[in-house]
Amino acid sequence: SSSQIVVLYWHRTDLRLHDSPALEAALALKPSVFIPVWTWDPHYVYRARVGPNRWKFLMECQSDLSKSYTKLNAKQKLWVVREAPQTVLPKLWEKWGITHLVFEKDTDAYARERDSAVIQMAEKAGVEVVTRMGRTLFDPDELVRKNGGKPTMSMSQVERAMEKIDGGKPARPVETPQSVPDPWKDDQMNLSDLDHEMADSNPDLNAEHRANEDRQYDEIMGPNKDFGVPTLEEIGIDPSSVQAPHRGGESAALKELSQFIADEEYIATFEKPKTSPAAFEPQSTTLLSPHLHFGSLSVRKFWWDVQDVMERRKKAKKQNAGPPANLPGQLLFRDMYFAAQAAVGAPFARVEGNSVVRFIDWHLQSKLVQSEEKKNKKHRKGTEKGDENILPARDYELDSSEAEEWFQRWKTGRTGFPWIDALMRQLITEGWIHHLGRHSVACFLTRGGCYISWERGAEVFEEYLIDHETACNAGNWMWLSCTAFFAQFYRCYSPIAFGKKWDPNGDLIRRYVPELAKFDKKYIYEPWKAPIADQKKWGCRVTNDDKDTASGKGGPQVYPKPMFDFDERRQFCLDKMKAAYDVGLYGNDKKVLNGEWKEL
Ligand code: FAD
């Protein structure tokens, strides 16, 4: 009947049933028909860089959620729809007689654009839209408002802003639903006849067109026409390319969280700078980040479970670690980056037009600046000495093919610095590395070695990380490259000493760079210093010689020599960073946007 409430619940950043304010709002409408969907957004499928490990994690989250729905109601599941939301949602509204569309608010730049288009279409179609925040501790827009409308660029700004929202505490988690209403009956859910309806109203439609439409609507429902969760094969990924041991899904997330929470000493004394980047199986931090990314874990539940442990201990007069190094502090960093991104918008994830990022004349610039470079072919070499307003970029110009080679070697874990290579290989195969490991490789690529743009590094992380989150990735890359959030560029990570401090035996290296597994710990961080006889004994030659590299099967393994002299590069970077800071250009500077920084 026309008074029925038919809710389309659109899952995006919230692949969970627990603590979901949006899902709670959807069920509070008391729908007689309830259809939870996930739309196969081509933006994610084709534009974003998503490696096999993240795909698998996503599908595990979807399968788990689908099963949880079925447990609550045997007729229910997650209805996976294979088409862009902008085009498929209007079809679904019409076909399924939707009265309400409900989803979790998303402040990512692309999401805002997509959602406002969807909301407009919904309003036109007479579908009521309900949204709720649930992805972060605080609504990023609210944090920005309480920060005077400005991007949150430091933890103290976040702390001051959150004090003005409900006394600085996020809302408590809401109840997990114990039941969900039915969807339509199977034949009413089926989309196969969408085309026939169209055909009926259009007698001119020819047979070929009709067949095409048929295929298209069948595709929306998936190969089995059952709206099932896709398999890796369906989206063209070879399952054997997935190597990450990390499991997706709300059930796994809640289990992992509860195991940590049970260890009160760990939770309450957690201090990020004291956790080892070299630890694996188990890692030294929670590894809950991919669950927060896909919303298979509620960040508010994480925060409050931790907070409750700390409160109990406080009453028992036991020691807790303080912010921002403790666990609540870690979650606030996440909120800081989300709010900064919400304020800056799309430019937050790049240099071009970004008001908070310092412009640095990296060897390899972002794509925009590169194309500007091509446009401005004539460029001056060198600059007048003593002119403080000039970036001495051309003085140092490096053959960009050399920098490109460094970039490729960094990306594939073949820099010749075992600590860096081990971390990059861990990233590629498993999709997650410790925060200080990310520090090491990000500093090395940018201001502490290669002097290559942070945007190039962020792209690599975007592809490989299972926890890739645009706000956190771009924000941390800016932090590490000292282009925003952090400015102490003279504090640089050594690719040798830093790892050695945590892991003198080099266990992380032995694990991820197995060709060096037999090296004595004396040489494991600097294998090029090992005597040739020892290299032979330990079964691996450290060489850049092509003949050695080509030794092939059966011969000794090879590992490259360092791709540059680190001390030399550190000094180069320091000089360059100082000069760039003196000039003080930002990503939204006219000189940068017009490519004039080269012509200065
Ligand atoms: P824990 O130490 O257990 O912390 C708990 C949670 O707090 C994390 O799950 C995460 O949600 C949040 N958190 C902790 N540190 C940070 C931080 N510095 N910034 C934002 N949130 C934080 N994190 C992402 O979630 N996605 C990314 O794409 C991402 N890219 C990064 C890129 C670089 C160059 C660097 C240096 C850091 C990046 N981080 C990113 C932040 C951080 O490294 C990870 O959140 C953290 O290592 C995840 O592991 P964990 O869950 O064990 O963290």
Side-chain angles (χ1 to χ4, degrees):
S1 83
S2 59
S3 62
Q4 277 206 98
I5 293 188
V6 183
V7 169
L8 189 69
Y9 187 81
W10 185 15
H11 280 283
R12 302 111 53 92
T13 49
D14 56 332
L15 292 167
R16 66 174 180 278
L17 295 182
H18 75 278
D19 185 33
S20 169
L23 186 57
E24 184 188 51
L27 296 173
L29 293 166
K30 306 219 176 311
S32 46
V33 177
F34 174 76
I35 311 172
V37 297
W38 198 88
T39 58
W40 208 229
D41 190 338
H43 172 80
Y44 196 74
V45 180
Y46 302 114
R47 194 211 64 87
R49 299 170 190 84
V50 188
N53 287 330
R54 188 148 92 254
W55 277 124
K56 175 151 167 291
F57 202 94
L58 167 62
M59 287 167 187
E60 286 169 349
C61 289
Q62 293 176 338
S63 300
D64 186 66
L65 178 63
S66 197
K67 280 188 203 128
S68 300
Y69 269 124
T70 310
K71 265 188 221 151
L72 292 185
N73 178 339
K75 293 180 188 142
Q76 278 292 7
K77 63 177 160 195
L78 178 66
W79 303 79
V80 177
V81 171
R82 289 143 173 88
E83 196 183 304
Q86 294 93 328
T87 59
V88 83
L89 289 175
K91 293 175 193 164
L92 302 184
W93 298 331
E94 193 174 332
K95 173 69 190 169
W96 290 339
I98 300 298
T99 60
H100 294 75
L101 172 71
V102 188
F103 55 85
E104 183 174 88
K105 179 177 169 182
D106 185 346
T107 53
D108 276 11
Y110 162 73
R112 280 214 220 250
E113 203 179 288
R114 175 198 59 204
D115 293 349
S116 77
V118 164
I119 289 169
Q120 257 181 15
M121 288 189 289
E123 278 165 2
K124 256 198 213 139
V127 174
E128 202 173 306
V129 179
V130 177
T131 67
R132 290 283 186 281
M133 193 60 217
R135 197 177 173 204
T136 42
L137 295 172
F138 300 96
D139 182 340
D141 291 330
E142 189 64 18
L143 270 184
V144 172
R145 268 194 294 280
K146 295 290 193 286
N147 190 43
K150 299 216 170 68
T152 44
M153 298 307 292
S154 70
M155 198 53 120
S156 55
Q157 287 179 359
V158 172
E159 280 167 342
R160 276 198 299 273
M162 66 190 247
E163 277 307 319
K164 299 178 198 156
I165 308 170
D166 302 328
K169 296 248 162 41
R172 282 269 181 187
V174 300
E175 294 293 316
T176 306
Q178 298 304 312
S179 67
V180 288
D182 289 354
W184 291 114
K185 291 205 180 69
D186 277 351
D187 58 329
Q188 289 163 292
M189 290 299 293
N190 196 308
L191 299 177
S192 291
D193 57 353
L194 266 179
D195 56 322
H196 304 309
E197 282 163 17
M198 263 180 67
D200 289 347
S201 64
N202 181 3
D204 297 334
L205 209 61
N206 64 29
E208 194 191 345
H209 194 127
R210 193 184 295 256
N212 264 336
E213 291 286 328
D214 249 339
R215 258 199 302 281
Q216 210 184 322
Y217 291 119
D218 283 352
E219 276 167 17
I220 293 181
M221 298 182 288
N224 304 324
K225 299 188 192 168
D226 64 352
F227 303 90
V229 172
T231 58
L232 286 167
E233 287 91 340
E234 187 191 331
I235 58 164
I237 291 177
D238 175 3
S240 70
S241 63
V242 178
Q243 288 174 287
H246 317 300
R247 289 287 152 268
E250 177 183 22
S251 308
L254 290 175
K255 196 169 147 211
E256 283 160 33
L257 176 67
S258 71
Q259 282 166 353
F260 282 115
I261 293 297
D263 188 349
E264 299 207 346
E265 189 68 19
Y266 174 83
I267 291 290
T269 60
F270 182 102
E271 284 183 78
K272 190 62 156 281
K274 293 187 183 160
T275 59
S276 170
F280 56 89
E281 279 179 358
Q283 74 290 340
S284 62
T285 56
T286 65
L287 218 158
L288 288 168
S289 49
H291 291 296
L292 293 177
H293 169 66
F294 287 111
S296 45
L297 178 64
S298 149
V299 66
R300 305 189 309 183
K301 176 168 172 57
F302 191 173
W303 197 90
W304 276 110
D305 282 5
V306 167
Q307 204 63 33
D308 289 344
V309 167
M310 296 183 120
E311 288 298 323
R312 266 201 300 282
R313 288 176 52 106
K314 217 154 108 197
K315 282 199 192 112
K317 306 223 178 327
K318 283 193 193 156
Q319 196 70 32
N320 287 329
N326 64 9
L327 271 172
Q330 300 309 299
L331 298 177
L332 280 181
F333 273 118
R334 184 171 175 272
D335 264 43
M336 175 181 83
Y337 291 123
F338 268 90
Q341 177 188 238
V344 175
F348 187 73
R350 54 176 196 249
V351 172
E352 178 204 349
N354 184 342
S355 56
V356 299
V357 76
R358 281 179 186 278
F359 178 78
I360 306 286
D361 62 330
W362 309 112
H363 293 322
L364 298 180
Q365 287 292 345
S366 70
K367 285 186 203 88
L368 172 106
V369 181
Q370 275 177 1
S371 65
E372 286 298 331
E373 277 177 42
K374 273 186 205 127
K375 267 192 261 162
N376 301 310
K377 267 216 181 90
K378 68 170 179 57
H379 70 254
R380 257 174 52 198
K381 276 239 165 194
T383 52
E384 298 298 316
K385 282 238 161 68
D387 185 342
E388 273 105 0
N389 267 337
I390 288 172
L391 269 183
R394 303 305 110 214
D395 286 348
Y396 293 92
E397 194 169 35
L398 179 92
D399 176 2
S400 72
S401 66
E402 190 179 4
E404 186 62 39
E405 194 202 318
W406 290 347
F407 174 69
Q408 292 305 333
R409 289 179 62 163
W410 174 84
K411 183 179 170 176
T412 51
R414 294 180 296 112
T415 65
F417 294 96
W419 172 245
I420 300 295
D421 292 345
L423 290 163
M424 289 307 291
R425 295 186 198 181
Q426 182 184 18
L427 171 68
I428 294 164
T429 53
E430 302 187 357
W432 182 90
I433 50 177
H434 184 277
H435 185 57
L436 297 177
R438 300 182 198 201
H439 272 226
S440 295
V441 299
C443 181
F444 182 86
L445 181 73
T446 58
R447 64 180 174 88
C450 304
Y451 207 69
I452 287 172
S453 171
W454 63 269
E455 286 179 273
R456 301 294 298 273
E459 284 173 9
V460 172
F461 271 35
E462 179 177 351
E463 180 178 347
Y464 292 125
L465 279 177
I466 50 172
D467 65 17
H468 173 258
E469 190 79 80
T470 304
C472 301
N473 191 41
N476 277 288
W477 270 98
M478 288 188 261
W479 179 302
L480 264 299
S481 58
C482 286
T483 52
F485 298 101
F486 184 73
Q488 297 172 26
F489 57 77
Y490 45 87
R491 284 177 53 182
C492 178
Y493 289 94
S494 158
I496 297 153
F498 182 71
K500 209 185 253 179
K501 182 180 95 181
W502 290 103
D503 179 14
N505 192 46
D507 290 339
L508 187 91
I509 296 170
R510 291 173 206 283
R511 158 92 166 215
Y512 294 101
V513 188
E515 58 268 40
L516 297 177
K518 295 207 182 84
F519 273 54
D520 189 273
K521 70 180 205 177
K522 185 174 171 200
Y523 298 112
I524 189 91
Y525 285 87
E526 300 169 280
W528 61 92
K529 290 188 176 167
I532 305 283
D534 284 339
Q535 294 182 16
K536 283 189 179 147
K537 192 171 75 197
W538 297 326
C540 178
R541 289 277 286 116
V542 181
T543 173
N544 288 338
D545 193 323
D546 281 350
K547 278 203 298 299
D548 288 327
T549 318
S551 62
K553 291 193 193 94
Q557 304 202 61
V558 291
Y559 179 76
K561 285 184 176 165
M563 63 186 191
F564 48 55
D565 180 315
F566 176 71
D567 292 332
E568 218 171 79
R569 291 302 300 172
R570 173 162 52 192
Q571 192 55 52
F572 170 89
C573 289
L574 278 174
D575 293 346
K576 294 281 284 170
M577 290 299 288
K578 190 171 177 314
Y581 263 63
D582 286 347
V583 173
L585 291 176
Y586 280 78
N588 63 343
D589 223 293
K590 256 176 58 196
K591 284 178 182 142
V592 170
L593 290 173
N594 298 337
E596 285 167 24
W597 60 277
K598 303 207 70 153
E599 307 288 338
L600 288 171

